[in-house]
Amino acid sequence: MLHARNLDDQTYEEIVKAAKGRLPWLCPAWTDHNAHDPGITILELMAWYKEIQQYHMNQFTDELRWKLLKLAGVICLPACPARCTVELSAEEPFRLAGAGLTTGEGVPFELAWPVPESLPVIRRIQVVQRERRMDVGELLENRRITFQPFGEEDTPAQLYIGFSLLGEGDLRLWFDVESPADPARNPFSSSDQVPRVIRWTCQGAGNTLLLRDETHGLSVSGYVTLRAEGEWPAGEKGLHWLVLTLEDPGCEERVRLSGLSALRWPALQQETWARRYTFCAPARKDWTVCLEDALARDGDLAAFVRTAEGWEQTGHWQAAATEAGRLFQVDTSSAVQDEAENIMIVALNGARSSRLLFDAKGLPGETFFLDLEGRTALTESFVLLCNTLERDGKIRPALWRCVDDLYACGPRDRVFTYDPVRETITFGDGEHGALLQRGEGAVLIADLTLTYGAGGNIPSGTQLTFREDGRMVRSQAARGGRDRETAVQAQARLLKELSTTRKCVSAADYERLAKETPGLRVAAAKALPAYDPDEPTGVSRLPVVTVVAVPAGVGQRPLPDRRFLAAVQRQMDAVRPIGIQVKVVPPVYVEIEADVILRGGTKDAADQLRERLSCWLTEAGIGGTLLAGEAWTLAQALPGVLQVRKLTLRAVGSGCYQTEEGDIRLPLRAIPWLGRLRVEQTPERGSAR
């Protein structure tokens, strides 16, 4: 173990006393050690300076803590904006992506997607089960009521969604999915991972393309984006029907929905002050592009062309604001044609453009105050456009990126650091990070997005107002907002990671990591070292670990399907040690029968005993031994029972071994469940009278 040393271990008086004590040895001729002696004055001055130095050396600052954390491979988690959905009306006007909204307290939001001129309108939602149709649209208006769109296993159903108006572009639907809480579903590892297979059909259309499924097969709440190929005609009752058919239900929970909308639009708790748009344009005098963004339409613009020497600002452009965005025309005759980006347009927030341009003095470690109004910049997209000294001796605009620390940067690295507390940016000194070049307007912020982080997590039902026309919309709860990680939080995260291994060492590691398989709800996992299910005797001749995986499915005896076992197998192959083979297998359910004779007891003694024995068998887990004495104790503890005269357990099927005491030794993969229970109650003595 490493122990921190206390470097500030001497006071001023102790330093002076120790120094005076050495004077007779260092300089015997120096005999006057009183305060009036000039040498003693210098000695006291050095003692004061030493006390200051040892105090500063003893301080463990956040800067030092971050350097040590980086040596351990810990990277600071940046700030993250909260995300919510807003409920629009069918008459909502056209809006560009990035359109601004604000709460009553002034917290800004931006639309993540543009709103088309016409939106789809859902007229009817039906669950069709055989020949029976049930409208569930009214149920969805009450968010507390849920329903199963695909029915039960024995009577499968289909979900029909009828649209009276399809709107423009791709069809985007929001699904509110009620996910079971225990056990919770692990985060998905990829966008195409689904626990069940659902077929999406636009009735009458040539084909239906599933472009994006954020719900992962209706496992979590999110958006589903569809596209109908060809014409999508109206069908029954003049509606365009979208049919959801469950082709493979999987082995986990049944789908439950509490909401469905075609008018929910995502919004981010952020405000963009500057944004870059880059293009690869041909050499033309009137090359034109439309910037489909609210910031580009309403903000101030600057254009740059990349020539053979580098980026150069150009004034040969013109722009016009339209409903679809900003129509931008620029002369690209001098742009280099190397199939790379050669046109860059920077859009600045008009109300704050004066804060985004700085004059530089060209001094080492130059610092600028940003005045971000108490918000935090998203460092992943924080980029500056600065006048830079190139290798040919000329000064041209160049992109500079944000880094956490200048210490590891070289003298030519075009980087800067950002301090979210002081709201400042700092440049290098020519040794660690390149120097800025002196000049007016030498620093232009080209990409800057601000957020309140965790302060943007607002409750559901908050009213948001569009800034351009004052229309009000209601939002769902904004979640996911996060502040920039502090050094203390990163240190705690490192300690947690060090205490949890991502490689399998013990049997408990196999079981824990199997339960953490991405995208699954694993109810139980059991690791069986040296057991091979493919061997007749079960004893492995090779280093094998068998993992029994049980899904959190419906019913009393859920069994994993092929996709479930394959997902757990991939997880185990990624975390197993080299040379160890892992086999993932389903459980085997063993029926347990019980015959009980009780003396006394209440009328519902049989029901109570069945409930207690079922819980006991569930807690027994996978494999192991069922002790008859424990079942005897459960029966004896029933209300009104005076005596348990007889209790016999019996396992139905092969593979189990029962001892003389009545205990049952289960197979290694077995999960017991209570089948037939026969309870006989004899009356108490004297009750016949």
Side-chain angles (χ1 to χ4, degrees), residues 296-318:
R297 182 192 61 186
D298 304 327
D300 300 332
L301 301 182
F304 299 84
V305 178
R306 187 170 64 85
T307 64
E309 290 77 18
W311 288 104
E312 294 181 1
Q313 188 171 2
T314 178
H316 301 289
W317 61 269
Q318 55 184 353

Side-chain angles (χ1 to χ4, degrees), residues 8-331:
D8 190 12
D9 57 351
Q10 282 184 306
T11 64
Y12 168 79
E13 291 77 9
E14 292 173 345
I15 297 173
V16 173
K17 182 178 180 181
K20 288 182 177 180
R22 299 193 62 185
L23 290 180
W25 301 93
L26 297 175
C27 185
W30 188 356
T31 58
D32 190 359
H33 300 162
N34 296 311
H36 64 268
D37 188 275
I40 296 300
T41 303
I42 296 176
L43 186 146
E44 292 175 345
L45 178 62
M46 293 297 103
W48 168 78
Y49 185 70
K50 180 180 183 298
E51 184 187 33
I52 293 178
Q53 289 295 314
Q54 68 185 22
Y55 169 78
H56 286 290
M57 292 175 62
N58 199 50
Q59 300 304 305
F60 196 69
T61 62
D62 284 346
E63 182 180 2
L64 178 58
R65 184 177 283 109
W66 273 123
K67 291 182 183 297
L68 296 176
L69 288 171
K70 288 180 180 178
L71 291 176
V74 178
I75 305 300
C76 172
L77 297 179
C80 182
R83 184 184 181 95
C84 71
T85 59
V86 295
E87 192 75 28
L88 306 178
S89 64
E91 297 79 20
E92 191 71 29
F94 171 79
R95 300 186 189 278
L96 292 171
L101 302 99
T102 182
T103 65
E105 295 78 17
V107 179
F109 281 79
E110 289 181 350
L111 284 182
W113 301 332
V115 180
E117 293 183 358
S118 62
L119 296 172
V121 177
I122 298 177
R123 188 62 59 189
R124 302 192 70 174
I125 304 175
Q126 296 179 339
V127 174
V128 179
Q129 197 169 41
R130 294 178 181 174
E131 301 299 328
R132 179 187 175 189
R133 287 177 174 263
M134 180 178 63
D135 286 316
V136 295
E138 295 181 358
L139 296 178
L140 295 179
E141 295 179 0
N142 188 347
R143 302 296 183 186
R144 301 178 182 177
I145 299 179
T146 63
F147 73 97
Q148 292 183 355
F150 304 118
E152 302 292 338
E153 291 183 355
D154 52 347
T155 55
Q158 293 176 304
L159 181 64
Y160 278 65
I161 306 173
F163 298 87
S164 59
L165 183 64
L166 293 178
E168 295 182 0
D170 299 331
L171 179 62
R172 187 180 291 115
L173 300 175
W174 170 272
F175 289 87
D176 275 320
V177 181
E178 294 296 318
S179 301
D182 188 24
R185 184 176 296 279
N186 297 320
F188 290 93
S189 60
S190 62
S191 59
D192 58 350
Q193 186 180 6
V194 291
R196 63 187 61 85
V197 178
I198 300 175
R199 176 161 49 89
W200 305 75
T201 306
C202 299
Q203 277 193 345
N207 190 18
T208 304
L209 298 179
L210 180 61
L211 302 180
R212 187 176 182 182
D213 182 9
E214 297 180 1
T215 67
H216 297 273
L218 300 185
S219 299
V220 294
S221 299
Y223 288 97
V224 175
T225 306
L226 305 165
R227 179 184 298 168
E229 290 188 340
E231 183 181 357
W232 186 3
E236 183 183 356
K237 298 182 181 180
L239 301 178
H240 306 269
W241 290 98
L242 173 66
V243 183
L244 279 67
T245 306
L246 185 62
E247 293 188 336
D248 186 354
C251 60
E252 299 176 63
E253 80 281 354
R254 297 191 182 101
V255 177
R256 299 195 70 90
L257 298 180
S258 62
L260 170 60
S261 176
L263 300 176
R264 285 200 194 175
W265 242 245
L268 299 174
Q269 192 285 296
Q270 64 182 31
E271 186 177 22
T272 304
W273 284 13
R275 177 173 294 162
R276 284 182 305 135
Y277 309 86
T278 55
F279 307 93
C280 180
R284 295 176 52 182
K285 289 185 175 295
D286 56 352
W287 182 76
T288 305
V289 66
C290 184
L291 305 178
E292 299 176 351
D293 184 86
L295 178 64
R297 182 192 61 186
D298 304 327
D300 300 332
L301 301 182
F304 299 84
V305 178
R306 187 170 64 85
T307 64
E309 290 77 18
W311 288 104
E312 294 181 1
Q313 188 171 2
T314 178
H316 301 289
W317 61 269
Q318 55 184 353
T322 64
E323 292 185 357
R326 193 81 167 265
L327 201 61
F328 191 88
Q329 187 179 88
V330 60
D331 182 3

Side-chain angles (χ1 to χ4, degrees), residues 237-432:
K237 298 182 181 180
L239 301 178
H240 306 269
W241 290 98
L242 173 66
V243 183
L244 279 67
T245 306
L246 185 62
E247 293 188 336
D248 186 354
C251 60
E252 299 176 63
E253 80 281 354
R254 297 191 182 101
V255 177
R256 299 195 70 90
L257 298 180
S258 62
L260 170 60
S261 176
L263 300 176
R264 285 200 194 175
W265 242 245
L268 299 174
Q269 192 285 296
Q270 64 182 31
E271 186 177 22
T272 304
W273 284 13
R275 177 173 294 162
R276 284 182 305 135
Y277 309 86
T278 55
F279 307 93
C280 180
R284 295 176 52 182
K285 289 185 175 295
D286 56 352
W287 182 76
T288 305
V289 66
C290 184
L291 305 178
E292 299 176 351
D293 184 86
L295 178 64
R297 182 192 61 186
D298 304 327
D300 300 332
L301 301 182
F304 299 84
V305 178
R306 187 170 64 85
T307 64
E309 290 77 18
W311 288 104
E312 294 181 1
Q313 188 171 2
T314 178
H316 301 289
W317 61 269
Q318 55 184 353
T322 64
E323 292 185 357
R326 193 81 167 265
L327 201 61
F328 191 88
Q329 187 179 88
V330 60
D331 182 3
T332 61
S333 302
S334 60
V336 63
Q337 301 298 317
D338 56 359
E339 298 183 357
E341 297 172 342
N342 52 13
I343 297 296
M344 179 169 55
I345 304 171
V346 178
L348 305 177
N349 188 308
R352 299 173 174 86
S353 58
S354 59
R355 307 186 194 178
L356 306 177
L357 189 64
F358 301 92
D359 300 334
K361 299 179 180 178
L363 300 177
E366 195 161 359
T367 300
F368 299 99
F369 176 61
L370 299 178
D371 190 14
L372 302 181
E373 302 174 357
R375 285 173 278 182
T376 303
L378 300 179
T379 54
E380 302 92 335
S381 59
F382 196 3
V383 177
L384 303 181
L385 192 62
C386 306
N387 289 344
T388 308
L389 180 64
E390 300 289 356
R391 292 182 179 273
D392 58 3
K394 295 183 179 181
I395 298 177
R396 300 186 186 89
L399 297 175
W400 292 46
R401 59 187 176 89
C402 182
V403 296
D404 292 333
D405 192 356
L406 295 172
Y407 181 77
C409 300
R412 294 186 178 275
D413 292 337
R414 300 164 182 178
V415 294
F416 64 94
T417 59
Y418 163 65
D419 188 342
V421 178
R422 298 179 177 85
E423 297 185 2
T424 57
I425 54 176
T426 304
F427 293 86
D429 55 3
E431 180 179 359
H432 300 289

Side-chain angles (χ1 to χ4, degrees), residues 488-686:
V488 175
Q489 293 171 340
Q491 181 177 345
R493 178 163 59 90
L494 174 62
L495 294 177
K496 183 178 180 181
E497 292 176 357
L498 292 177
S499 62
T500 305
T501 177
R502 294 299 302 174
K503 287 293 183 181
C504 296
V505 178
S506 64
D509 294 333
Y510 285 91
E511 297 172 0
R512 174 178 55 84
L513 293 174
K515 293 180 181 179
E516 296 177 1
T517 302
L520 300 186
R521 296 178 61 239
V522 184
K526 180 72 173 181
L528 305 174
Y531 170 73
D532 190 346
D534 298 330
E535 293 287 343
T537 61
V539 179
S540 173
R541 295 173 298 176
L542 300 174
V544 174
V545 176
T546 298
V547 177
V548 183
V550 185
V554 295
Q556 296 181 352
R557 298 179 294 278
L559 285 172
D561 60 2
R562 175 182 53 82
R563 290 196 310 275
F564 188 95
L565 293 176
V568 180
Q569 184 70 58
R570 288 192 298 269
Q571 169 80 347
M572 292 291 96
D573 289 340
V575 298
R576 65 175 176 84
I578 298 176
I580 300 294
Q581 183 182 4
V582 179
K583 295 184 178 181
V584 180
V585 297
V588 175
Y589 289 94
V590 175
E591 180 182 0
I592 304 297
E593 295 182 351
D595 293 329
V596 184
I597 299 178
L598 302 176
R599 179 186 168 199
T602 59
K603 294 181 179 181
D604 60 344
D607 296 335
Q608 293 187 42
L609 183 57
R610 172 171 287 277
E611 181 180 355
R612 294 190 180 189
L613 289 178
S614 298
C615 294
W616 171 60
L617 294 178
T618 301
E619 295 174 355
I622 304 173
T625 302
L626 301 178
L627 300 179
E630 295 182 359
W632 196 290
T633 303
L634 293 175
Q636 184 66 62
L638 291 174
V641 173
L642 300 179
Q643 182 184 9
V644 179
R645 292 188 172 182
K646 178 183 177 182
L647 190 149
T648 304
L649 298 178
R650 183 169 54 258
V652 180
S654 60
C656 298
Y657 174 77
Q658 192 159 11
T659 64
E660 296 180 356
E661 294 79 10
D663 301 337
I664 299 177
R665 296 178 183 175
L666 299 172
L668 295 177
R669 297 167 52 184
I671 297 179
W673 66 281
L674 184 61
R676 184 182 64 83
L677 173 63
R678 189 176 66 86
V679 178
E680 180 182 345
Q681 293 179 256
T682 61
E684 303 177 17
R685 293 181 181 178

